[in-house]
Amino acid sequence: PCEDPRRSSRLSREMNYYRERHCPARGEAPACLVPPPPGYRVPVPWPESLHKIWHDNMPYGKIAERKGHQGWMKQEGSYFLFPGGGTMFPDGAEQYIEKLTKYVPLRSGLLRTGLDMGCGVASFGGFLLKENITALSFAPRDSHKSQIQFALERGIPAFLLMLGTRRLPFPAQSFDFVHCSRCLIPFTAYNGSYLIEVDRLLRPGGYLIISGPPVQWKKQEKEWGELQAMAESLCYKLITVDGNTAIWKKPNQASCLPNQNEFGLDLCSTDDDPDEAWYFKLKKCISKVSLLEEIAVGSIDKWPNRLSKPSARASFMDDGVNLFEADTQKWVKRVSYYKRSLGVKLGTALIRNVMDMNAFFGGFAAAVASDPVWVMNVVPAKNPLTLGVIYDRGLIGVYHDWCEPFSTYPRTYDLIHADGINSLISDPKSGKIRCDLFDVMLEMDRILRPEGTAVIRDSPDVINKAVQVARSIRWTTQVHDSEPESGSAEKILIATKTFWKLPLTSG
C-alpha cells in the first residue's frame, strides 16, 4: 500500500522521491482481505525453495523473459527455477562469492550481516546463507515489479526499499559489509549523499563491494574517478579492483575528517543522532560514532558467539547488560513453551520467513537461531532505538511504525510474532491509542501466507479484542495462558490464517 504507483506517479522524481514510501492517509486504504492468485498452493519448503518456487504463486513471467539469459530465473513446467545468476554474475552467485572470498573474509565468522542493494531476485544473499551470512537484500518496486516477492517466496531475507531522499530504516554502523551488484545507485551524485548513507550503515572495519558501473566501466570514467576519490577522502582502503568489481575496507578508527577534500565532506554536528532513520532526510555530513572500536569488525565477537554476548552498545544503555541477559533467557523459555506446549511449528519445514513485530533486543530471534528460519526483527520507530544491539548480535531488522503498512508484498511471511500488540498502536509517552488494532491485524493478514501463524501476546482484554478481529478476518484462534513459571496474567493468541480462495459464494 505504501508503494502504490497510482499515488507515486504524481510525486516528484527528484532523487527518486516518488519511489520511496508514501502511505495512504488513515481511512484511505481499503479495508479488504487480499485473495491469493488462482492456483496458489502452499510454498515449496526451504531449502528447495532457494532453487524453485511454484509458478502459480507468483504468475509474473516478465523477469524470466527479460533476465533469463543472465541466469536470474526461468520457467519450467509448473515451477520457476533459479539457477543462481545475476546481471554481474551470469555464471552463478557461487562462483562470484568464490571470487569475493579472495579479498573479503566471508568464511571466517568475522562477517555475519550484509546489505545487498538493488538485489534482483536475491540469489547473492540466498547463496551466502550456507556461509552463515545473513544479507538483507533490498530493491524498489520498479520495472521488474516483483523481484522482492520472488526473493521472499524463495525464503531469502528481503525488503522493499528505495534509496532516495531519506535515510534507510536501519541503525548506524550496523552492517558488516554492503554489496551492490549493478545496483545503479549514483553514489557520488547529490554531493555524495548516497555514499555518505552507505558510510553511516557500514560497521567500522566493514567492507564495501561494488560490481558493475561505474567500476572500470566504459563511458563512466568520470563517475569511477569520483567514486575512488570520495572513498579515499573517507579514508577507505581500496583492497582490489578485479575486472568490474571494486572492494574497499572502512577504517576501524575514528573518521579522518575533517580533511582537505574536493567534496566538501565534513563531520555532522554533535546533535546528529546517526541511529535516527525513520522518515529522516539524508544528511550531507558524516556521522560521528561513539564506541567506534568496540563495535568494529574484528573487535565484535565472531559468529555464533556474538549472538549471546551483550555488545558495547547494550552496555552503553541504562542497565543494558542485565536487560539483555534477562531478555535472552526469557525468550529461550518462551520459545520452548511455544514449541512444546502450544504446537507452534517453529523448527519444521512449515516455517521459514518469520517476523517479530516488537523485537527489543532480538531475544525471540536469538532463541530460534538454530531453526531453519530467518527473522525480520522490527523495532517500532517510537520505541527506544535498540536495533543496533540486534545487528551487533548478528541478526537483521528494520525500524517501522505499525500504524502504517509494512514494505513487503502480500503472502511473504510464515509466522508473525507480536509481543505486546497494544503497545504497537499506543504512544509510548502518553499511552494514547494512535491507530486501530483492526488495521494492524488486517496488515498482518496481508503479509501472512495462507496457513501461516500469528502469535500475539498481551493482557486478557487486548487478547479478547484480537480474537474478535481474528475471527472477522477468517483466522482460526486458540487462546492459551502464558508460561506457568512466568506468573503473568498475560494471554497468548495462536491464530492461523485460513487458506480460502475466490469465489467464496456459489451460484
Side-chain angles (χ1 to χ4, degrees), residues 88 99 103 210-212 214-217 224 240-246:
M88 293 308 297
K99 174 173 115 168
Y103 314 107
I210 299 179
S211 289
V215 179
Q216 301 212 92
W217 207 264
W224 170 224
T240 189
V241 180
D242 182 340
N244 299 117
T245 298

Side-chain angles (χ1 to χ4, degrees), residues 291-304:
L291 302 173
L292 210 128
E293 296 193 11
E294 296 91 328
I295 59 168
V297 168
S299 305
I300 210 153
D301 278 75
K302 284 187 175 181
W303 179 261

Side-chain angles (χ1 to χ4, degrees), residues 26 357-358 379-383 400-405 418-444 456-459 461-463 465-466 469:
R26 234 183 122 179
M357 293 173 73
N358 192 10
V379 170
K382 290 185 181 299
N383 285 17
H400 182 65
D401 179 345
W402 284 108
C403 287
E404 294 183 6
D419 178 30
I421 195 166
N422 205 51
S423 69
L424 305 180
I425 58 173
S426 344
D427 188 281
K429 292 191 177 77
S430 67
K432 264 202 355 224
I433 298 291
R434 300 183 301 119
C435 57
D436 205 332
L437 181 65
F438 175 79
D439 293 333
V440 177
M441 289 179 65
L442 195 62
E443 175 62 0
M444 290 167 75
I456 300 175
R457 305 179 67 106
D458 218 308
S459 68
D461 284 359
V462 173
I463 292 298
K465 284 182 201 155
V469 175

Side-chain angles (χ1 to χ4, degrees), residues 327 331 334-335 338 353-368 374-380 387 390 395-400 402 406 413 415-420 424 444 455 457:
D327 188 65
W331 284 109
R334 286 181 169 188
V335 165
Y338 289 175
N353 299 353
V354 177
M355 181 184 291
D356 188 359
M357 293 173 73
N358 192 10
F360 186 45
F361 279 157
F364 170 77
V368 298
W374 67 273
V375 181
M376 178 67 90
N377 290 285
V378 183
V379 170
L387 197 48
I390 289 173
L395 303 169
I396 56 171
V398 295
Y399 295 125
H400 182 65
W402 284 108
F406 192 77
Y413 284 82
L415 182 138
I416 301 181
H417 182 254
D419 178 30
L424 305 180
M444 290 167 75
V455 178
R457 305 179 67 106

Side-chain angles (χ1 to χ4, degrees), residues 458-461 463 480-483 486-492:
D458 218 308
S459 68
D461 284 359
I463 292 298
H480 301 271
D481 292 333
S482 49
E483 299 71 15
S486 70
S488 157
E490 205 175 45
K491 296 285 186 191
I492 304 171

Side-chain angles (χ1 to χ4, degrees), residues 42-51 53 112 122 125-135 150-158 344-356 364-365 368-376 396 412-416 448-449 451-453:
V42 171
V44 174
W46 178 265
E48 268 181 279
S49 59
L50 178 63
H51 307 288
I53 64 168
R112 164 68 182 172
F127 283 96
L128 278 173
L129 287 164
K130 68 171 191 291
E131 311 292 351
N132 267 327
I133 287 176
T134 304
F150 281 114
L152 288 160
E153 183 75 11
R154 296 173 73 189
I156 302 170
V344 177
K345 294 190 169 52
L346 279 161
T348 74
L350 294 170
I351 296 180
R352 170 65 187 164
N353 299 353
V354 177
M355 181 184 291
D356 188 359
F364 170 77
V368 298
S370 58
D371 292 334
V373 301
W374 67 273
V375 181
M376 178 67 90
I396 56 171
T412 42
Y413 284 82
D414 301 299
L415 182 138
I416 301 181
L448 267 181
R449 290 169 167 172
E451 297 184 4
T453 305

Side-chain angles (χ1 to χ4, degrees), residues 153-333:
E153 183 75 11
R154 296 173 73 189
I156 302 170
F159 187 61
L160 200 57
L161 187 61
M162 179 76 205
L163 182 49
T165 66
R166 309 177 190 131
R167 283 179 174 175
L168 300 181
F170 311 116
Q173 326 295 321
S174 45
F175 292 98
D176 303 342
F177 66 89
V178 173
H179 173 258
C180 148
S181 164
R182 203 182 172 88
C183 65
L184 305 181
I185 291 170
F187 288 105
T188 54
Y190 314 112
N191 300 349
S193 291
Y194 295 150
L195 194 62
I196 290 170
E197 176 62 353
V198 166
D199 179 73
R200 181 184 76 86
L201 297 173
L202 191 57
R203 194 178 287 281
Y207 293 82
L208 171 60
I209 305 160
I210 299 179
S211 289
V215 179
Q216 301 212 92
W217 207 264
K218 214 174 163 184
K219 298 194 178 151
Q220 294 216 15
E221 292 81 4
K222 178 174 172 284
E223 290 86 348
W224 170 224
E226 282 173 355
L227 180 57
Q228 291 176 88
M230 193 166 174
E232 196 176 314
S233 38
L234 292 171
C235 299
Y236 279 38
K237 182 182 174 205
L238 182 61
I239 288 176
T240 189
V241 180
D242 182 340
N244 299 117
T245 298
I247 302 172
W248 290 267
K249 190 175 195 311
K250 180 174 173 173
N252 269 12
Q253 61 285 358
S255 169
C256 60
L257 294 169
N259 58 25
Q260 294 297 306
N261 66 75
E262 61 192 278
F263 302 98
L265 292 177
D266 208 345
L267 290 170
C268 297
S269 63
T270 46
D271 62 1
D272 166 67
D273 179 352
D275 283 327
E276 282 275 347
W278 181 244
Y279 288 113
F280 197 91
K281 284 267 178 271
L282 286 174
K283 290 208 168 179
K284 302 266 194 315
C285 54
I286 302 295
S287 298
K288 289 182 182 165
V289 185
S290 49
L291 302 173
L292 210 128
E293 296 193 11
E294 296 91 328
I295 59 168
V297 168
S299 305
I300 210 153
D301 278 75
K302 284 187 175 181
W303 179 261
N305 297 351
R306 67 194 272 185
L307 181 66
S308 48
K309 196 159 178 227
S311 67
R313 267 194 264 223
S315 47
F316 203 59
M317 295 172 177
D318 201 15
D319 201 27
V321 172
N322 290 334
L323 282 171
F324 181 97
E325 301 283 9
D327 188 65
T328 301
Q329 287 160 17
K330 173 176 86 178
W331 284 109
V332 168
K333 288 180 188 148

